[in-house]
Amino acid sequence: MAPASQRETTKGVCVMRVAVLGGSGFIGPRVMRKLVEHGHEVHCMDIAPEGPSLDPVRDRVTITRGDITLMDDVVEMLALSKPDRVLNLAYILGATEDDPHPQVRVNILGMDNCFEAARILGIRRVVYASSIAVYGAQRLHGERVVNEDDPRLGTRLYAVSKIFNEHQADWYNHAYDMAITGVRPANITGPDKVRGSTNHVLCQVLPARNEPVHFPYRDTMTLPLHVEDMAEVFLRVTVAEETAHSIYNSGGHSMSLGDLADVVREFLPEAEITFGADEGGREDSGIHLMDNSRLVEEFELQYAPFRQRVLETINEVRIGEGLPPVG
């Protein structure tokens, strides 16, 4: 196989072969669509290859069944696809802590299988999804913006798993001179999100369906970032020849649920969004003050205005429900 630097399109653009592990989730299909649109060859391994979320890219991406918790599956997929880059988006998000075993297998063992298989096969560049959850609650850091050098104080199972993933990446980078890069997505939002942080999603989706929605507190803080913007981040980080850092914060649009409700009502004045109290949610909020200048400056990113993204989400939902678009 010719190295990526020798494989070029007719327009002189470097074409890469990218292996995406766990591509059927919320972010994966969007990233793969962007990769294909930029001329890259994409191979996807997923435990649910027939999942409907993959339908939009099914005819443009090579999709195989595989379980990231099984080392043989990961090695076989990477050996056959011979990628220049590996993007790991396989993780369990939004599960309870009553049964930690499946989460540990996917989030920790699966990540280790990804890194080790890449090392064995000589694939130096790997990109993976960490999480804003590594920081824990905002109150643990005070009312200030956190950056990549701030302590990781998350204690829940998913947060601790992602903290461990970041250590795993550092160990491989130092021990084997690999170039593994992690991205910490914030509260990724969009019309079809159903796992993880979903209050910001419900605040847009249910009113778009003409359904009521209720939250305990108006001042619960969130840091939403639209899934298309997050997919653009993964695209740019994945195809980069090198990255200046091993971890990046995605950042987002800091706002309360009350503020988000006000934006929704700009487009849906009759939206039934109610709150139990105006005050009382802020102290239990996750990180909502985040510095992402490292990512924005290095990769020349500019996110779409969030108000525009809210309108896009509302209308995508409404069109899917057979309702007239707004705005």
Side-chain angles (χ1 to χ4, degrees):
M1 179 189 68
S5 59
Q6 297 177 16
R7 293 202 305 271
E8 295 186 347
T9 67
T10 55
K11 295 181 180 180
V13 177
C14 181
V15 175
M16 294 183 184
R17 187 176 292 131
V18 182
V20 180
L21 307 180
S24 71
F26 180 51
I27 301 173
R30 274 102 169 174
V31 180
M32 291 191 290
R33 187 201 75 228
K34 285 178 175 286
L35 285 164
V36 170
E37 289 173 350
H38 281 74
H40 302 296
E41 179 183 333
V42 179
H43 295 253
C44 171
M45 185 191 84
D46 198 275
I47 200 169
E50 300 304 321
S53 63
L54 291 172
D55 290 346
V57 296
R58 192 173 301 280
D59 61 345
R60 295 180 289 171
V61 172
T62 302
I63 303 172
T64 59
R65 188 192 186 284
D67 185 343
I68 198 169
T69 69
L70 301 178
M71 183 64 167
D72 287 351
D73 282 8
V74 182
V75 170
E76 181 179 10
M77 186 270 187
L78 296 184
L80 290 174
S81 60
K82 297 180 173 61
D84 305 292
R85 301 284 190 274
V86 177
L87 172 59
N88 186 7
L89 297 176
Y91 50 83
I92 294 181
L93 177 63
T96 70
E97 301 196 358
D98 296 334
D99 185 11
H101 182 63
Q103 297 182 67
V104 171
R105 279 178 55 80
V106 173
N107 295 339
I108 295 181
L109 175 61
M111 189 70 75
D112 194 65
N113 287 343
C114 169
F115 294 165
E116 179 65 3
R119 180 193 72 81
I120 291 172
L121 295 170
I123 306 166
R124 186 167 179 266
R125 284 284 289 125
V126 179
V127 177
Y128 70 98
S130 183
S131 172
I132 188 179
V134 301
Y135 288 111
Q138 182 73 54
R139 58 179 168 76
L140 300 175
H141 303 268
E143 286 296 305
R144 64 178 183 83
V145 175
V146 298
N147 62 35
E148 289 87 351
D149 296 324
D150 277 302
R152 296 166 291 192
L153 303 177
T155 58
R156 295 188 63 79
L157 180 56
Y158 183 70
V160 173
S161 297
K162 289 303 177 183
I163 293 170
F164 192 81
N165 291 162
E166 293 183 9
H167 285 299
Q168 288 174 291
D170 287 342
W171 295 329
Y172 271 85
N173 285 341
H174 289 114
Y176 302 111
D177 190 33
M178 295 182 71
I180 302 174
T181 307
V183 180
R184 295 171 178 161
N187 303 133
I188 307 306
T189 192
D192 51 327
K193 185 178 183 181
V194 295
R195 296 182 180 86
S197 60
T198 56
N199 54 9
H200 49 91
V201 178
L202 297 176
C203 193
Q204 302 169 71
V205 169
L206 294 184
R209 295 176 181 159
N210 296 332
E211 297 177 16
V213 62
H214 178 82
F215 302 102
Y217 302 107
R218 180 182 174 86
D219 64 352
T220 295
M221 298 299 295
T222 184
L223 189 66
L225 180 66
H226 194 272
V227 63
E228 287 292 339
D229 292 314
M230 192 67 245
E232 183 67 22
V233 170
F234 277 115
L235 167 71
R236 297 194 189 192
V237 176
T238 299
V239 300
E241 193 67 30
E242 296 282 344
T243 60
H245 304 275
S246 62
I247 195 73
Y248 294 86
N249 289 340
S250 75
H253 309 272
S254 181
M255 61 178 57
S256 69
L257 287 179
D259 292 336
L260 177 55
D262 291 340
V263 176
V264 171
R265 290 194 188 98
E266 289 183 37
F267 307 111
L268 298 167
E270 304 302 319
E272 295 183 53
I273 308 171
T274 58
F275 299 93
D278 289 339
E279 299 180 0
R282 195 178 186 96
E283 64 271 18
D284 294 323
S285 300
I287 288 295
H288 53 271
L289 300 173
M290 172 185 275
D291 174 64
N292 68 345
S293 57
R294 174 185 290 186
L295 180 74
V296 169
E297 293 169 6
E298 182 175 343
F299 295 95
E300 300 181 346
L301 282 161
Q302 183 175 357
Y303 296 147
F306 192 65
R307 183 177 178 277
Q308 171 189 322
R309 291 304 197 190
V310 171
L311 178 59
E312 291 172 4
T313 296
I314 289 172
N315 281 334
E316 188 170 340
V317 172
R318 290 182 68 83
I319 292 169
E321 295 286 325
L323 297 169
V326 298

PDB file of all heavy atoms in Angstrom, residues 179-213:
ATOM      1  N   ALA A 179       1.410   8.798  17.765  1.00  0.00           N
ATOM      2  CA  ALA A 179       0.846  10.146  17.717  1.00  0.00           C
ATOM      3  C   ALA A 179      -0.663  10.030  17.915  1.00  0.00           C
ATOM      4  O   ALA A 179      -1.452  10.250  17.002  1.00  0.00           O
ATOM      5  CB  ALA A 179       1.172  10.826  16.397  1.00  0.00           C
ATOM      6  N   ILE A 180      -1.052   9.648  19.126  1.00  0.00           N
ATOM      7  CA  ILE A 180      -2.454   9.454  19.477  1.00  0.00           C
ATOM      8  C   ILE A 180      -2.997  10.767  20.031  1.00  0.00           C
ATOM      9  O   ILE A 180      -2.389  11.360  20.917  1.00  0.00           O
ATOM     10  CB  ILE A 180      -2.621   8.327  20.511  1.00  0.00           C
ATOM     11  CG1 ILE A 180      -2.037   7.023  19.972  1.00  0.00           C
ATOM     12  CG2 ILE A 180      -4.084   8.156  20.887  1.00  0.00           C
ATOM     13  CD1 ILE A 180      -2.027   5.881  20.985  1.00  0.00           C
ATOM     14  N   THR A 181      -4.132  11.197  19.505  1.00  0.00           N
ATOM     15  CA  THR A 181      -4.713  12.480  19.882  1.00  0.00           C
ATOM     16  C   THR A 181      -6.150  12.285  20.344  1.00  0.00           C
ATOM     17  O   THR A 181      -6.931  11.609  19.668  1.00  0.00           O
ATOM     18  CB  THR A 181      -4.717  13.452  18.696  1.00  0.00           C
ATOM     19  OG1 THR A 181      -3.390  13.547  18.160  1.00  0.00           O
ATOM     20  CG2 THR A 181      -5.184  14.836  19.129  1.00  0.00           C
ATOM     21  N   GLY A 182      -6.490  12.891  21.481  1.00  0.00           N
ATOM     22  CA  GLY A 182      -7.849  12.822  21.993  1.00  0.00           C
ATOM     23  C   GLY A 182      -8.558  14.162  21.891  1.00  0.00           C
ATOM     24  O   GLY A 182      -7.924  15.217  21.934  1.00  0.00           O
ATOM     25  N   VAL A 183      -9.868  14.106  21.741  1.00  0.00           N
ATOM     26  CA  VAL A 183     -10.711  15.300  21.733  1.00  0.00           C
ATOM     27  C   VAL A 183     -11.774  15.124  22.808  1.00  0.00           C
ATOM     28  O   VAL A 183     -12.386  14.051  22.910  1.00  0.00           O
ATOM     29  CB  VAL A 183     -11.383  15.523  20.366  1.00  0.00           C
ATOM     30  CG1 VAL A 183     -12.263  16.773  20.409  1.00  0.00           C
ATOM     31  CG2 VAL A 183     -10.334  15.637  19.269  1.00  0.00           C
ATOM     32  N   ARG A 184     -11.994  16.179  23.584  1.00  0.00           N
ATOM     33  CA  ARG A 184     -13.009  16.150  24.637  1.00  0.00           C
ATOM     34  C   ARG A 184     -14.273  16.864  24.161  1.00  0.00           C
ATOM     35  O   ARG A 184     -14.401  18.080  24.309  1.00  0.00           O
ATOM     36  CB  ARG A 184     -12.489  16.834  25.899  1.00  0.00           C
ATOM     37  CG  ARG A 184     -11.311  16.136  26.570  1.00  0.00           C
ATOM     38  CD  ARG A 184     -10.745  17.010  27.667  1.00  0.00           C
ATOM     39  NE  ARG A 184      -9.645  16.366  28.374  1.00  0.00           N
ATOM     40  CZ  ARG A 184      -8.755  17.030  29.111  1.00  0.00           C
ATOM     41  NH1 ARG A 184      -8.838  18.358  29.234  1.00  0.00           N
ATOM     42  NH2 ARG A 184      -7.778  16.377  29.722  1.00  0.00           N
ATOM     43  N   PRO A 185     -15.233  16.134  23.604  1.00  0.00           N
ATOM     44  CA  PRO A 185     -16.483  16.782  23.199  1.00  0.00           C
ATOM     45  C   PRO A 185     -17.237  17.335  24.405  1.00  0.00           C
ATOM     46  O   PRO A 185     -17.217  16.742  25.489  1.00  0.00           O
ATOM     47  CB  PRO A 185     -17.276  15.650  22.537  1.00  0.00           C
ATOM     48  CG  PRO A 185     -16.247  14.637  22.147  1.00  0.00           C
ATOM     49  CD  PRO A 185     -15.198  14.721  23.216  1.00  0.00           C
ATOM     50  N   ALA A 186     -17.912  18.457  24.197  1.00  0.00           N
ATOM     51  CA  ALA A 186     -18.753  19.044  25.240  1.00  0.00           C
ATOM     52  C   ALA A 186     -20.119  18.359  25.191  1.00  0.00           C
ATOM     53  O   ALA A 186     -20.201  17.156  24.943  1.00  0.00           O
ATOM     54  CB  ALA A 186     -18.854  20.552  25.041  1.00  0.00           C
ATOM     55  N   ASN A 187     -21.208  19.083  25.420  1.00  0.00           N
ATOM     56  CA  ASN A 187     -22.557  18.501  25.379  1.00  0.00           C
ATOM     57  C   ASN A 187     -23.050  18.543  23.936  1.00  0.00           C
ATOM     58  O   ASN A 187     -23.651  19.520  23.505  1.00  0.00           O
ATOM     59  CB  ASN A 187     -23.499  19.269  26.294  1.00  0.00           C
ATOM     60  CG  ASN A 187     -23.008  19.330  27.724  1.00  0.00           C
ATOM     61  OD1 ASN A 187     -23.009  20.390  28.344  1.00  0.00           O
ATOM     62  ND2 ASN A 187     -22.570  18.204  28.266  1.00  0.00           N
ATOM     63  N   ILE A 188     -22.759  17.489  23.191  1.00  0.00           N
ATOM     64  CA  ILE A 188     -23.059  17.487  21.765  1.00  0.00           C
ATOM     65  C   ILE A 188     -24.564  17.372  21.557  1.00  0.00           C
ATOM     66  O   ILE A 188     -25.224  16.509  22.131  1.00  0.00           O
ATOM     67  CB  ILE A 188     -22.310  16.353  21.050  1.00  0.00           C
ATOM     68  CG1 ILE A 188     -20.812  16.436  21.387  1.00  0.00           C
ATOM     69  CG2 ILE A 188     -22.520  16.442  19.547  1.00  0.00           C
ATOM     70  CD1 ILE A 188     -20.194  17.790  21.103  1.00  0.00           C
ATOM     71  N   THR A 189     -25.080  18.254  20.737  1.00  0.00           N
ATOM     72  CA  THR A 189     -26.522  18.343  20.553  1.00  0.00           C
ATOM     73  C   THR A 189     -26.891  18.168  19.088  1.00  0.00           C
ATOM     74  O   THR A 189     -26.069  18.381  18.195  1.00  0.00           O
ATOM     75  CB  THR A 189     -27.045  19.696  21.083  1.00  0.00           C
ATOM     76  OG1 THR A 189     -28.464  19.677  21.173  1.00  0.00           O
ATOM     77  CG2 THR A 189     -26.606  20.848  20.207  1.00  0.00           C
ATOM     78  N   GLY A 190     -28.117  17.766  18.857  1.00  0.00           N
ATOM     79  CA  GLY A 190     -28.612  17.549  17.508  1.00  0.00           C
ATOM     80  C   GLY A 190     -29.953  16.846  17.568  1.00  0.00           C
ATOM     81  O   GLY A 190     -30.378  16.396  18.639  1.00  0.00           O
ATOM     82  N   PRO A 191     -30.628  16.713  16.456  1.00  0.00           N
ATOM     83  CA  PRO A 191     -32.011  16.232  16.474  1.00  0.00           C
ATOM     84  C   PRO A 191     -32.193  14.780  16.867  1.00  0.00           C
ATOM     85  O   PRO A 191     -33.270  14.392  17.309  1.00  0.00           O
ATOM     86  CB  PRO A 191     -32.478  16.463  15.034  1.00  0.00           C
ATOM     87  CG  PRO A 191     -31.221  16.453  14.223  1.00  0.00           C
ATOM     88  CD  PRO A 191     -30.188  17.076  15.100  1.00  0.00           C
ATOM     89  N   ASP A 192     -31.157  13.952  16.722  1.00  0.00           N
ATOM     90  CA  ASP A 192     -31.331  12.516  16.941  1.00  0.00           C
ATOM     91  C   ASP A 192     -30.509  11.982  18.113  1.00  0.00           C
ATOM     92  O   ASP A 192     -30.304  10.774  18.218  1.00  0.00           O
ATOM     93  CB  ASP A 192     -30.971  11.741  15.665  1.00  0.00           C
ATOM     94  CG  ASP A 192     -29.609  12.127  15.104  1.00  0.00           C
ATOM     95  OD1 ASP A 192     -29.225  13.305  15.241  1.00  0.00           O
ATOM     96  OD2 ASP A 192     -28.925  11.272  14.515  1.00  0.00           O
ATOM     97  N   LYS A 193     -30.067  12.839  19.012  1.00  0.00           N
ATOM     98  CA  LYS A 193     -29.306  12.361  20.162  1.00  0.00           C
ATOM     99  C   LYS A 193     -30.242  11.794  21.218  1.00  0.00           C
ATOM    100  O   LYS A 193     -31.227  12.430  21.588  1.00  0.00           O
ATOM    101  CB  LYS A 193     -28.464  13.475  20.767  1.00  0.00           C
ATOM    102  CG  LYS A 193     -27.562  12.977  21.899  1.00  0.00           C
ATOM    103  CD  LYS A 193     -26.693  14.072  22.468  1.00  0.00           C
ATOM    104  CE  LYS A 193     -25.758  13.509  23.530  1.00  0.00           C
ATOM    105  NZ  LYS A 193     -24.910  14.554  24.130  1.00  0.00           N
ATOM    106  N   VAL A 194     -29.906  10.601  21.736  1.00  0.00           N
ATOM    107  CA  VAL A 194     -30.767   9.958  22.730  1.00  0.00           C
ATOM    108  C   VAL A 194     -29.996   9.488  23.961  1.00  0.00           C
ATOM    109  O   VAL A 194     -30.604   9.014  24.919  1.00  0.00           O
ATOM    110  CB  VAL A 194     -31.527   8.761  22.116  1.00  0.00           C
ATOM    111  CG1 VAL A 194     -32.492   9.231  21.038  1.00  0.00           C
ATOM    112  CG2 VAL A 194     -30.559   7.711  21.561  1.00  0.00           C
ATOM    113  N   ARG A 195     -28.674   9.602  23.962  1.00  0.00           N
ATOM    114  CA  ARG A 195     -27.886   9.123  25.095  1.00  0.00           C
ATOM    115  C   ARG A 195     -26.985  10.238  25.615  1.00  0.00           C
ATOM    116  O   ARG A 195     -26.682  11.185  24.913  1.00  0.00           O
ATOM    117  CB  ARG A 195     -27.030   7.911  24.699  1.00  0.00           C
ATOM    118  CG  ARG A 195     -27.844   6.691  24.305  1.00  0.00           C
ATOM    119  CD  ARG A 195     -26.943   5.506  23.977  1.00  0.00           C
ATOM    120  NE  ARG A 195     -27.718   4.344  23.599  1.00  0.00           N
ATOM    121  CZ  ARG A 195     -28.149   4.093  22.373  1.00  0.00           C
ATOM    122  NH1 ARG A 195     -27.841   4.933  21.398  1.00  0.00           N
ATOM    123  NH2 ARG A 195     -28.861   3.014  22.106  1.00  0.00           N
ATOM    124  N   GLY A 196     -26.549  10.067  26.861  1.00  0.00           N
ATOM    125  CA  GLY A 196     -25.681  11.063  27.461  1.00  0.00           C
ATOM    126  C   GLY A 196     -26.477  12.265  27.937  1.00  0.00           C
ATOM    127  O   GLY A 196     -27.620  12.142  28.372  1.00  0.00           O
ATOM    128  N   SER A 197     -25.877  13.449  27.852  1.00  0.00           N
ATOM    129  CA  SER A 197     -26.574  14.665  28.256  1.00  0.00           C
ATOM    130  C   SER A 197     -27.624  15.000  27.211  1.00  0.00           C
ATOM    131  O   SER A 197     -27.301  15.237  26.046  1.00  0.00           O
ATOM    132  CB  SER A 197     -25.567  15.819  28.401  1.00  0.00           C
ATOM    133  OG  SER A 197     -24.912  16.054  27.163  1.00  0.00           O
ATOM    134  N   THR A 198     -28.876  15.019  27.604  1.00  0.00           N
ATOM    135  CA  THR A 198     -29.951  15.218  26.633  1.00  0.00           C
ATOM    136  C   THR A 198     -30.896  16.357  26.997  1.00  0.00           C
ATOM    137  O   THR A 198     -31.824  16.635  26.230  1.00  0.00           O
ATOM    138  CB  THR A 198     -30.791  13.937  26.461  1.00  0.00           C
ATOM    139  OG1 THR A 198     -31.297  13.535  27.742  1.00  0.00           O
ATOM    140  CG2 THR A 198     -29.961  12.807  25.856  1.00  0.00           C
ATOM    141  N   ASN A 199     -30.678  17.038  28.132  1.00  0.00           N
ATOM    142  CA  ASN A 199     -31.606  18.115  28.471  1.00  0.00           C
ATOM    143  C   ASN A 199     -31.614  19.212  27.397  1.00  0.00           C
ATOM    144  O   ASN A 199     -32.668  19.728  27.020  1.00  0.00           O
ATOM    145  CB  ASN A 199     -31.323  18.689  29.862  1.00  0.00           C
ATOM    146  CG  ASN A 199     -29.885  19.137  30.063  1.00  0.00           C
ATOM    147  OD1 ASN A 199     -29.088  19.183  29.129  1.00  0.00           O
ATOM    148  ND2 ASN A 199     -29.547  19.465  31.303  1.00  0.00           N
ATOM    149  N   HIS A 200     -30.439  19.554  26.876  1.00  0.00           N
ATOM    150  CA  HIS A 200     -30.359  20.568  25.825  1.00  0.00           C
ATOM    151  C   HIS A 200     -30.981  20.085  24.525  1.00  0.00           C
ATOM    152  O   HIS A 200     -31.452  20.885  23.722  1.00  0.00           O
ATOM    153  CB  HIS A 200     -28.895  20.974  25.590  1.00  0.00           C
ATOM    154  CG  HIS A 200     -27.973  19.807  25.424  1.00  0.00           C
ATOM    155  ND1 HIS A 200     -27.692  19.253  24.199  1.00  0.00           N
ATOM    156  CD2 HIS A 200     -27.290  19.073  26.346  1.00  0.00           C
ATOM    157  CE1 HIS A 200     -26.863  18.228  24.355  1.00  0.00           C
ATOM    158  NE2 HIS A 200     -26.602  18.095  25.657  1.00  0.00           N
ATOM    159  N   VAL A 201     -30.985  18.777  24.309  1.00  0.00           N
ATOM    160  CA  VAL A 201     -31.626  18.208  23.121  1.00  0.00           C
ATOM    161  C   VAL A 201     -33.142  18.255  23.259  1.00  0.00           C
ATOM    162  O   VAL A 201     -33.854  18.711  22.362  1.00  0.00           O
ATOM    163  CB  VAL A 201     -31.154  16.752  22.896  1.00  0.00           C
ATOM    164  CG1 VAL A 201     -31.858  16.149  21.685  1.00  0.00           C
ATOM    165  CG2 VAL A 201     -29.642  16.690  22.722  1.00  0.00           C
ATOM    166  N   LEU A 202     -33.644  17.798  24.402  1.00  0.00           N
ATOM    167  CA  LEU A 202     -35.090  17.774  24.634  1.00  0.00           C
ATOM    168  C   LEU A 202     -35.686  19.176  24.578  1.00  0.00           C
ATOM    169  O   LEU A 202     -36.828  19.356  24.153  1.00  0.00           O
ATOM    170  CB  LEU A 202     -35.387  17.123  25.982  1.00  0.00           C
ATOM    171  CG  LEU A 202     -34.976  15.661  26.118  1.00  0.00           C
ATOM    172  CD1 LEU A 202     -35.228  15.171  27.540  1.00  0.00           C
ATOM    173  CD2 LEU A 202     -35.709  14.792  25.117  1.00  0.00           C
ATOM    174  N   CYS A 203     -34.906  20.165  25.008  1.00  0.00           N
ATOM    175  CA  CYS A 203     -35.376  21.549  25.009  1.00  0.00           C
ATOM    176  C   CYS A 203     -35.638  22.049  23.587  1.00  0.00           C
ATOM    177  O   CYS A 203     -36.417  22.988  23.384  1.00  0.00           O
ATOM    178  CB  CYS A 203     -34.351  22.442  25.713  1.00  0.00           C
ATOM    179  SG  CYS A 203     -34.959  24.097  26.102  1.00  0.00           S
ATOM    180  N   GLN A 204     -35.029  21.420  22.603  1.00  0.00           N
ATOM    181  CA  GLN A 204     -35.235  21.796  21.197  1.00  0.00           C
ATOM    182  C   GLN A 204     -36.178  20.829  20.480  1.00  0.00           C
ATOM    183  O   GLN A 204     -37.079  21.247  19.748  1.00  0.00           O
ATOM    184  CB  GLN A 204     -33.885  21.810  20.464  1.00  0.00           C
ATOM    185  CG  GLN A 204     -32.848  22.742  21.053  1.00  0.00           C
ATOM    186  CD  GLN A 204     -31.479  22.507  20.448  1.00  0.00           C
ATOM    187  OE1 GLN A 204     -31.221  22.832  19.292  1.00  0.00           O
ATOM    188  NE2 GLN A 204     -30.564  21.926  21.222  1.00  0.00           N
ATOM    189  N   VAL A 205     -35.975  19.534  20.706  1.00  0.00           N
ATOM    190  CA  VAL A 205     -36.679  18.515  19.928  1.00  0.00           C
ATOM    191  C   VAL A 205     -38.156  18.420  20.289  1.00  0.00           C
ATOM    192  O   VAL A 205     -39.023  18.355  19.401  1.00  0.00           O
ATOM    193  CB  VAL A 205     -35.981  17.156  20.102  1.00  0.00           C
ATOM    194  CG1 VAL A 205     -36.832  16.030  19.525  1.00  0.00           C
ATOM    195  CG2 VAL A 205     -34.608  17.179  19.429  1.00  0.00           C
ATOM    196  N   LEU A 206     -38.475  18.386  21.587  1.00  0.00           N
ATOM    197  CA  LEU A 206     -39.873  18.232  21.961  1.00  0.00           C
ATOM    198  C   LEU A 206     -40.737  19.422  21.531  1.00  0.00           C
ATOM    199  O   LEU A 206     -41.816  19.229  20.967  1.00  0.00           O
ATOM    200  CB  LEU A 206     -39.993  17.959  23.458  1.00  0.00           C
ATOM    201  CG  LEU A 206     -39.399  16.620  23.925  1.00  0.00           C
ATOM    202  CD1 LEU A 206     -39.652  16.394  25.416  1.00  0.00           C
ATOM    203  CD2 LEU A 206     -39.956  15.455  23.114  1.00  0.00           C
ATOM    204  N   PRO A 207     -40.297  20.673  21.761  1.00  0.00           N
ATOM    205  CA  PRO A 207     -41.084  21.790  21.230  1.00  0.00           C
ATOM    206  C   PRO A 207     -41.218  21.748  19.703  1.00  0.00           C
ATOM    207  O   PRO A 207     -42.248  22.144  19.162  1.00  0.00           O
ATOM    208  CB  PRO A 207     -40.289  23.018  21.684  1.00  0.00           C
ATOM    209  CG  PRO A 207     -39.584  22.577  22.915  1.00  0.00           C
ATOM    210  CD  PRO A 207     -39.203  21.147  22.626  1.00  0.00           C
ATOM    211  N   ALA A 208     -40.176  21.278  19.008  1.00  0.00           N
ATOM    212  CA  ALA A 208     -40.255  21.171  17.553  1.00  0.00           C
ATOM    213  C   ALA A 208     -41.362  20.213  17.130  1.00  0.00           C
ATOM    214  O   ALA A 208     -41.969  20.367  16.062  1.00  0.00           O
ATOM    215  CB  ALA A 208     -38.916  20.715  16.981  1.00  0.00           C
ATOM    216  N   ARG A 209     -41.665  19.236  17.974  1.00  0.00           N
ATOM    217  CA  ARG A 209     -42.754  18.280  17.702  1.00  0.00           C
ATOM    218  C   ARG A 209     -44.098  18.768  18.239  1.00  0.00           C
ATOM    219  O   ARG A 209     -45.071  18.018  18.256  1.00  0.00           O
ATOM    220  CB  ARG A 209     -42.423  16.930  18.354  1.00  0.00           C
ATOM    221  CG  ARG A 209     -41.216  16.218  17.786  1.00  0.00           C
ATOM    222  CD  ARG A 209     -40.945  14.961  18.593  1.00  0.00           C
ATOM    223  NE  ARG A 209     -39.784  14.247  18.099  1.00  0.00           N
ATOM    224  CZ  ARG A 209     -39.085  13.358  18.825  1.00  0.00           C
ATOM    225  NH1 ARG A 209     -39.465  13.109  20.078  1.00  0.00           N
ATOM    226  NH2 ARG A 209     -38.046  12.751  18.314  1.00  0.00           N
ATOM    227  N   ASN A 210     -44.095  19.988  18.755  1.00  0.00           N
ATOM    228  CA  ASN A 210     -45.286  20.549  19.400  1.00  0.00           C
ATOM    229  C   ASN A 210     -45.649  19.793  20.678  1.00  0.00           C
ATOM    230  O   ASN A 210     -46.821  19.692  21.045  1.00  0.00           O
ATOM    231  CB  ASN A 210     -46.488  20.569  18.438  1.00  0.00           C
ATOM    232  CG  ASN A 210     -46.257  21.486  17.254  1.00  0.00           C
ATOM    233  OD1 ASN A 210     -45.507  22.463  17.348  1.00  0.00           O
ATOM    234  ND2 ASN A 210     -46.889  21.179  16.128  1.00  0.00           N
ATOM    235  N   GLU A 211     -44.616  19.282  21.352  1.00  0.00           N
ATOM    236  CA  GLU A 211     -44.811  18.578  22.617  1.00  0.00           C
ATOM    237  C   GLU A 211     -44.243  19.416  23.758  1.00  0.00           C
ATOM    238  O   GLU A 211     -43.249  20.135  23.582  1.00  0.00           O
ATOM    239  CB  GLU A 211     -44.117  17.214  22.582  1.00  0.00           C
ATOM    240  CG  GLU A 211     -44.662  16.254  21.547  1.00  0.00           C
ATOM    241  CD  GLU A 211     -43.899  14.943  21.511  1.00  0.00           C
ATOM    242  OE1 GLU A 211     -43.150  14.666  22.480  1.00  0.00           O
ATOM    243  OE2 GLU A 211     -44.045  14.191  20.524  1.00  0.00           O
ATOM    244  N   PRO A 212     -44.848  19.331  24.958  1.00  0.00           N
ATOM    245  CA  PRO A 212     -44.332  20.083  26.103  1.00  0.00           C
ATOM    246  C   PRO A 212     -43.077  19.440  26.678  1.00  0.00           C
ATOM    247  O   PRO A 212     -42.829  18.243  26.489  1.00  0.00           O
ATOM    248  CB  PRO A 212     -45.483  20.020  27.115  1.00  0.00           C
ATOM    249  CG  PRO A 212     -46.174  18.734  26.790  1.00  0.00           C
ATOM    250  CD  PRO A 212     -46.072  18.578  25.292  1.00  0.00           C
ATOM    251  N   VAL A 213     -42.274  20.232  27.371  1.00  0.00           N
ATOM    252  CA  VAL A 213     -41.101  19.715  28.058  1.00  0.00           C
ATOM    253  C   VAL A 213     -40.919  20.487  29.364  1.00  0.00           C
ATOM    254  O   VAL A 213     -41.194  21.695  29.424  1.00  0.00           O
ATOM    255  CB  VAL A 213     -39.837  19.821  27.164  1.00  0.00           C
ATOM    256  CG1 VAL A 213     -39.517  21.276  26.820  1.00  0.00           C
ATOM    257  CG2 VAL A 213     -38.647  19.149  27.828  1.00  0.00           C
TER     258      VAL A 213
END
